[in-house]
Amino acid sequence: MVLTKSELIASLQHEVHVLLHLASKIDRAKVDYRPTPKQRSTLELLRYLSFMGPVMVEAARHGAFDGAAWGAAVQAADARDLDQTLVAIAAQRDAYASAIGVMSDADFRVEIEMFGRKTSRGAFLVNTVLCGYAAYRTQLFVYLKACGREELSTMNLWAGVDAAMAD
C-alpha cells in the first residue's frame, strides 16, 4: 500500500476537516444554490457527502457494494437539515479511525471487485473514497465562489484554513 493505514485514516480525517471548514462558509440563505436545474444543490451535495465515504468504506471492508445500505443511507441523509448533515459529516472522523483501524496490512492488498472493476481494497479506498472527497469538496468550493465567497482561496480548499489577508 502506498499509504500506511494511519496515513489513510489521517488523510480521510483531513478531508472531513476541510469539508467542515468549507461548509462553515455557506451562506444559509444560499443553501439551495445549484448551478443548473439537474445538479445537486449545496445542501444535497453535503447530504451526499454525509454518507458516501462511510458507505464506500463498508463496501470495501465487505468486498461488495450493498445497495440496500446505500438506499438506507440516502433516505437518512435526505431527511437531514444542514446542521444535522454537518453533525453526520463530523462523525466520520471517528468512523474512519474505527472502520479502517481494524484492517490489517494484508486486508488492504486483498483483491475486490466493485462496480465491475477488480482492484485491491486499499486502491479502492484511495481512488473512490479519498479521491471522491477531493472532487466533491472542490465542487463545494466552486459553489461557494459562485455564491459570492470571493475571499476563499486555495488554503480554504486544500488546508481547510482561512489564508492570512495581505495588507
Side-chain angles (χ1 to χ4, degrees):
M1 176 123 159
V2 174
L3 297 173
T4 65
K5 177 173 37 177
S6 62
E7 289 170 334
L8 177 59
I9 292 167
S11 292
L12 288 168
Q13 289 173 331
H14 176 73
E15 291 299 328
V16 171
H17 165 77
V18 173
L19 186 56
L20 290 171
H21 170 75
L22 290 173
S24 76
K25 307 301 180 182
I26 296 170
D27 176 346
R28 288 179 177 255
K30 297 180 181 177
V31 75
D32 293 321
Y33 167 78
R34 68 181 75 236
T36 64
K38 292 188 178 184
Q39 287 181 270
R40 290 182 177 120
S41 70
T42 301
L43 179 56
E44 290 165 344
L45 177 61
L46 287 170
R47 284 176 175 158
Y48 176 76
L49 286 164
S50 75
F51 70 85
M52 178 276 296
V55 173
M56 287 292 104
V57 167
E58 287 306 307
R61 283 185 53 199
H62 295 97
F65 179 76
D66 183 343
W70 183 268
V74 170
Q75 202 168 34
D78 286 348
R80 293 185 192 117
D81 64 19
L82 179 60
D83 292 323
Q84 293 165 332
T85 299
L86 298 178
V87 167
I89 292 169
Q92 292 174 6
R93 288 183 187 119
D94 292 337
Y96 289 134
S98 297
I100 294 171
V102 298
M103 292 185 204
S104 69
D105 288 345
D107 290 335
F108 290 107
R109 291 187 293 277
V110 169
E111 184 177 79
I112 61 174
E113 185 173 336
M114 201 73 66
F115 310 119
R117 196 180 115 203
K118 290 184 180 183
T119 186
S120 71
R121 181 176 283 123
F124 178 82
L125 290 169
V126 169
N127 293 323
T128 302
V129 183
L130 187 58
C131 292
Y133 269 110
Y136 287 115
R137 73 172 148 91
T138 301
Q139 183 177 355
L140 178 60
F141 179 78
V142 171
Y143 280 24
L144 290 168
K145 296 289 264 188
C147 287
R149 297 304 305 256
E150 295 175 9
E151 79 283 5
L152 299 180
S153 72
T154 55
M155 290 299 291
N156 297 102
L157 177 61
W158 293 102
V161 298
D162 293 328
M165 301 301 285
D167 291 338

